[in-house]
Amino acid sequence: MCEGEKYERSANKGPIIGGPLSLIDTEGQIVTEKNLIGNWVLLYFGYTSSPDVGPAEVRKMANTIDILESRQNIKVLPVFVTIDPQRDTPSHLRTYIREFDSRIVGLTGPVAAIRQIAQEYRVFFKKIDEQGDDYLVDTSHNMYLINPNMEVERSFGVEYSTDELAEAITKEIKKSKITNSQN
Amino acid sequence: MALEAYSSQAADSVHSDVLSEARIACYKARDAFYACLEKESDKKPTESASVGLLYPAECKKNREAYVNQCRPTWVKHFDRQYCAKKRVQRLLDDNESRRGV
């Protein structure tokens, strides 16, 4: 894609968010955007030490993936990127995610790598209420729907229920002319 | 390369106090404490919780169980939420007395 085309798209649809990534999954393997291309992806930025919103959002993501697959025959790859890489190590992330749905890909990495992807997706995150090693992370808990070309289609906030999210994703996918290798 | 180094150095430990069983136990202790506050709302709040929240001595046992079961930052987060909820309730209930203000 040449430079001119890139600018054209951003003039119509706003700033381009998203970009390449290079992180570690829960098995300790490197995952890049090459591993995601070809799939519709539902990307969530969160952290396991979230008292209430985090667990609810991950539960929502798991249920939405279920609904899409069973009712719409649509396969979407759920991905959880932690914005608390210091505490969310691969093994801890694996244990946490497994309690919800082992299909969710958990990604972590060095702080610099997480900062980079958060910046690409314009995700705000900040440590608050620090008491020694204990802290919360202030963040928007947004989810991003990414098409098989690794382009961000849209984002969803915590106000979306499971059913609303499934419906909105179905609509976006059916509207899009891009189909992934699974659908 | 930084990624490989991270992968090999990352600890195997798991923070069990944020996993499902611990979360459920925390929520239970939290709800028991706030239920006590509601029940004893006519008593004088003499004890200090966090973020300015006060509670009556009658709920001290619930408070201890709650604080033992949940991370300090979680307790603070829920206390803050509870205070905000109470404040909104007060504003809604007090609507009549503040007329004209």
Side-chain angles (χ1 to χ4, degrees):
Chain A
M1 202 198 290
C2 67
E3 279 299 283
E5 277 176 59
K6 263 202 156 108
Y7 286 128
E8 256 180 66
R9 180 171 179 262
S10 72
N12 291 336
K13 294 185 176 182
I16 297 173
I17 63 170
L21 59 103
S22 197
L23 298 168
I24 303 281
D25 71 8
T26 51
E27 299 304 313
Q29 301 302 306
I30 294 177
V31 168
T32 71
E33 66 280 1
K34 294 188 179 67
N35 299 104
L36 302 180
I37 279 177
N39 297 294
W40 281 93
V41 173
L42 186 59
L43 183 64
Y44 169 64
F45 290 88
Y47 70 116
T48 69
S49 297
S50 170
D52 44 11
V53 181
E57 289 302 289
V58 181
R59 169 62 49 214
K60 184 172 83 179
M61 186 159 72
N63 290 345
T64 301
I65 298 299
D66 268 339
I67 289 178
L68 289 170
E69 198 168 325
S70 59
R71 288 192 215 158
Q72 302 293 343
N73 205 26
I74 291 174
K75 265 199 158 61
V76 175
L77 181 67
V79 178
F80 178 119
V81 174
T82 179
I83 33 102
D84 184 14
Q86 269 171 268
R87 292 183 298 189
D88 292 348
T89 60
S91 51
H92 171 67
L93 202 52
R94 181 171 64 238
T95 308
Y96 182 88
I97 288 176
R98 209 171 40 208
E99 286 184 330
F100 292 94
D101 192 324
S102 49
R103 286 174 296 181
I104 300 174
V105 174
L107 297 180
T108 179
V111 177
I114 297 293
R115 255 197 246 284
Q116 193 209 323
I117 184 177
Q119 204 199 0
E120 285 171 3
Y121 285 81
R122 303 292 190 274
V123 172
F124 168 77
F125 69 104
K126 183 178 156 63
K127 271 189 197 175
I128 55 170
D129 287 344
E130 279 185 81
Q131 287 173 219
D133 288 329
D134 190 11
Y135 53 86
L136 297 179
V137 181
D138 192 12
T139 182
S140 63
H141 293 275
N142 279 344
M143 286 190 200
Y144 297 83
L145 179 66
I146 304 172
N147 69 27
N149 287 344
M150 271 300 285
E151 293 162 341
V152 176
E153 290 283 339
R154 58 166 298 183
S155 69
F156 306 94
V158 300
E159 70 277 8
Y160 279 80
S161 69
T162 296
D163 285 332
E164 287 163 350
L165 185 57
E167 197 185 315
I169 291 176
T170 302
K171 207 161 89 174
E172 283 299 324
I173 292 182
K174 289 194 164 151
K175 197 171 65 178
S176 166
K177 298 187 194 82
I178 306 165
T179 51
N180 68 4
S181 39
Q182 316 253 1
N183 289 338
Chain B
M1 192 193 166
L3 277 182
E4 272 108 7
Y6 174 89
S7 183
S8 59
Q9 281 166 24
D12 273 336
S13 60
V14 162
H15 311 287
S16 52
D17 62 342
V18 301
L19 297 180
S20 183
E21 197 180 328
R23 284 200 307 270
I24 291 172
C26 168
Y27 297 160
K28 200 164 165 205
R30 170 201 66 184
D31 293 343
F33 172 67
Y34 292 136
C36 179
L37 291 198
E38 296 301 310
K39 185 161 152 257
E40 310 288 351
S41 57
D42 55 333
K43 307 285 192 303
K44 193 169 192 298
T46 54
E47 313 299 313
S48 184
S50 79
V51 297
L53 174 64
L54 300 175
Y55 65 95
E58 282 81 357
C59 297
K60 214 168 180 167
K61 274 215 157 61
N62 290 98
R63 181 71 189 178
E64 271 162 23
Y66 172 30
V67 166
N68 281 339
Q69 202 63 243
C70 307
R71 276 194 185 170
T73 48
W74 289 27
V75 170
K76 218 168 156 189
H77 170 83
F78 293 130
D79 278 352
R80 211 182 283 129
Q81 240 176 29
Y82 181 81
C83 286
K85 193 178 81 173
K86 282 274 131 190
R87 194 163 49 237
V88 169
Q89 260 172 18
R90 243 188 353 256
L91 287 171
L92 292 173
D93 292 339
D94 254 357
N95 203 27
E96 296 305 303
S97 63
R98 297 180 84 81
R99 199 175 269 204
V101 170

